[in-house]
Amino acid sequence: MTDVASEPRHLIKLTPGTPVGDHYDYLASVFRPVFARIAEGARQRDAERQLPIEQVGWLNAARFGALRIPQEHGGFGASLLDTFRLLIELAEADSQVAHLLRAHIAFVEQIQMHPDPAVREKWINRVVAGQIVGNAYTERGGNALGTWNTAISATPYGVFVSGTKYYCTGTIFADWTVVAATHPQRPGRHLAVVSTQHSGVRMYDDWDGFGQQLTGTGSTEFDTVPVDTLIVPVDQFEHVESTVFQLVLLAVQAGITRAVLADARLAVQARTRNFTTGTGVPLRDEPQVLQLIGEISGQVLAVESIVLAAVAEVEALLADEGLSEDERHLVCELTANRAHTAVQPLVLAAASKMFDGLGASSTSTSCNFDRHWRNARTIATHNPAIYRARIVGDYEVNGRAPVTHDSAGDVPESYA
């Protein structure tokens, strides 16, 4: 017989989607205990601005960064879809920890396609050992759109890079970082991978945004830093790098939406008081509050379904040998852009809606429920969704392929 006094078993799937085989279950069994530890202090870390250095160390010890490395090379051999399903779970535990891995996830995809087997082997070995890679692409100002002031110098003693970067997400936590720079003799974007431990690298936790404050998204200075690996333009795969960067943001948004639902659910379950305008029943039985929780749950399903559908589409596109590189880049970009335009309003709505059923007490700083909206709103500003919607619309109506620039920068009035 069923014990009617016990809580019913929760049967809604933890992470939607249809996995292939049981590999995801194995991966989840490895990493969910780590995610649970990370989740324990997420609210306090956000409130006190404590960088999750220890928590990143737990992930590195478990080799989360080696998910996509094939098993025969010492990694976990995860599909792109399973990797992002796990990333959503990590983002629910702490959206900031998931976000700071953005550059690493894209780098792993990129480096496995490098034409030089020696370069591939070197970086696969490092990733499998638990090392992670950060990002140093953007400059805060003073550089023209599509260019950088950061420069590479080739000398008889080696190749070096010098310059100052901002929005260096993840670099504070990383062993290596990828620096976008100009080359004195060769046109195009060059990616200089350097050690963050070199004395010429100075990192600052000076990101002052109101959300995602713990991602290490600050300034980094490079003073004649030796380049370990130089990735020249011909060896870069823009469709992989750009698209994966955007898919990570989408996964983080999905994780935030799940965290909203979890916090709202627990708050309603725990509350013993009701409002003067309520129906006089406990909040967990208040019909309109239950409706609100149900609406948030539906938004969680919608967001995750959109994100995972986009990831599955990109994974299929990467394996489609019938596409040219230009075609692959086009459709990958459009896939990520379409998902962004649909996801962001849903996430922001859910993060705001949770307060409607919980009242003024839920705005207490001790709850720190506002972190979900702040974090989601901050992520939504990355390459704003209005531009992505315009790109998709222009393709739908006029068949114009997306046009992007190598870097953000200053635009003169005469720029065309």
Side-chain angles (χ1 to χ4, degrees):
M1 293 180 61
T2 301
D3 183 0
V4 295
S6 65
E7 287 287 333
R9 190 158 61 99
H10 206 286
L11 298 178
I12 293 179
K13 292 180 73 173
L14 185 60
T15 302
T18 305
V20 177
D22 60 359
H23 194 41
Y24 181 76
D25 292 332
Y26 163 70
L27 295 172
S29 71
V30 172
F31 292 108
R32 278 181 184 158
V34 184
F35 298 165
R37 292 177 67 197
I38 290 172
E40 289 175 1
R43 181 179 301 182
Q44 181 179 355
R45 286 193 300 273
D46 181 272
E48 299 177 1
R49 197 183 172 102
Q50 298 175 354
L51 292 176
I53 295 173
E54 184 178 18
Q55 289 70 30
V56 173
W58 299 341
L59 285 173
N60 293 346
R63 300 188 307 121
F64 185 79
L67 274 170
R68 287 283 288 152
I69 302 297
Q71 290 177 311
E72 60 267 29
H73 298 308
F76 288 95
S79 67
L80 194 66
L81 184 60
D82 282 352
T83 297
F84 274 81
R85 295 177 80 213
L86 285 171
L87 190 63
I88 290 172
E89 292 198 34
L90 173 58
E92 179 186 7
D94 190 329
S95 67
Q96 322 216 41
V97 175
H99 187 175
L100 67 85
L101 293 170
R102 183 186 184 203
H104 176 83
I105 293 169
F107 180 81
V108 169
E109 293 299 318
Q110 180 97 295
I111 205 65
Q112 291 188 92
M113 301 175 68
H114 198 284
D116 188 338
V119 172
R120 292 199 305 271
E121 181 180 7
K122 175 172 69 173
W123 281 105
I124 286 173
N125 289 340
R126 288 172 174 173
V127 170
V128 166
Q131 297 182 28
I132 60 172
V133 181
N135 148 66
Y137 279 19
T138 306
E139 296 174 8
R140 197 165 194 174
N143 64 301
L145 181 67
T147 68
W148 304 267
N149 292 327
T150 302
I152 290 167
S153 57
T155 75
Y157 307 100
V159 179
F160 301 86
V161 66
S162 297
T164 300
K165 296 290 187 177
Y166 193 57
Y167 300 113
C168 298
T169 302
T171 292
I172 285 177
F173 309 94
D175 305 279
W176 308 87
T177 193
V178 184
V179 187
T182 59
H183 192 285
Q185 284 87 38
R186 305 171 192 161
R189 183 185 70 168
H190 288 68
L191 301 179
V193 191
V194 304
S195 170
T196 58
Q197 306 306 306
H198 190 271
S199 60
V201 179
R202 291 181 292 278
M203 297 171 284
Y204 303 92
D205 182 26
D206 57 355
W207 164 240
D208 62 355
F210 60 61
Q212 295 295 95
Q213 296 177 333
L214 310 181
T215 58
T217 304
S219 305
T220 308
E221 298 174 353
F222 302 91
D223 182 8
T224 320
V225 179
V227 175
D228 177 273
T229 303
L230 183 62
I231 305 177
V232 299
V234 70
D235 293 334
Q236 298 172 36
F237 297 89
E238 189 176 0
H239 61 274
V240 173
E241 176 193 69
S242 174
T243 302
V244 172
F245 260 66
Q246 301 314 315
L247 291 178
V248 171
L249 292 182
L250 288 165
V252 175
Q253 294 277 47
I256 290 174
T257 318
R258 287 177 56 163
V260 167
L261 176 60
D263 276 351
R265 183 196 304 119
L266 290 173
V268 169
Q269 290 171 339
R271 190 180 177 101
T272 57
R273 301 176 69 215
N274 202 338
F275 305 102
T276 58
T277 50
T279 62
V281 299
L283 203 66
R284 66 183 299 152
D285 295 319
E286 185 69 70
Q288 288 176 289
V289 172
L290 295 179
Q291 176 184 341
L292 182 143
I293 298 298
E295 290 172 355
I296 295 175
S297 181
Q299 288 168 325
V300 170
L301 175 63
V303 169
E304 293 189 11
S305 299
I306 293 168
V307 173
L308 294 175
V311 173
E313 177 71 9
V314 168
E315 186 159 33
L317 293 169
L318 296 181
D320 188 344
E321 297 180 355
L323 295 172
S324 69
E325 289 303 302
D326 287 343
E327 289 171 334
R328 185 174 287 108
H329 177 240
L330 164 68
V331 71
C332 282
E333 283 289 287
L334 290 172
T335 298
N337 288 345
R338 293 173 75 193
H340 268 290
T341 63
V343 160
Q344 291 184 4
L346 292 169
V347 179
L348 294 172
S352 179
K353 183 180 293 186
M354 71 176 295
F355 294 97
D356 293 336
L358 300 177
S361 61
S362 65
T363 67
S364 170
T365 55
S366 63
C367 296
N368 199 20
F369 290 153
D370 63 300
R371 76 187 187 279
H372 300 312
W373 185 91
R374 289 187 288 104
N375 291 337
R377 179 68 268 179
T378 299
I379 292 173
T381 64
H382 287 57
N383 303 319
I386 57 169
Y387 298 151
R388 300 190 177 281
R390 184 259 304 162
I391 289 170
V392 173
D394 200 11
Y395 183 78
E396 291 280 12
V397 175
N398 300 309
R400 292 193 184 100
V403 176
T404 57
H405 304 276
D406 283 339
S407 73
D410 299 335
V411 183
E413 290 185 9
S414 60
Y415 187 88

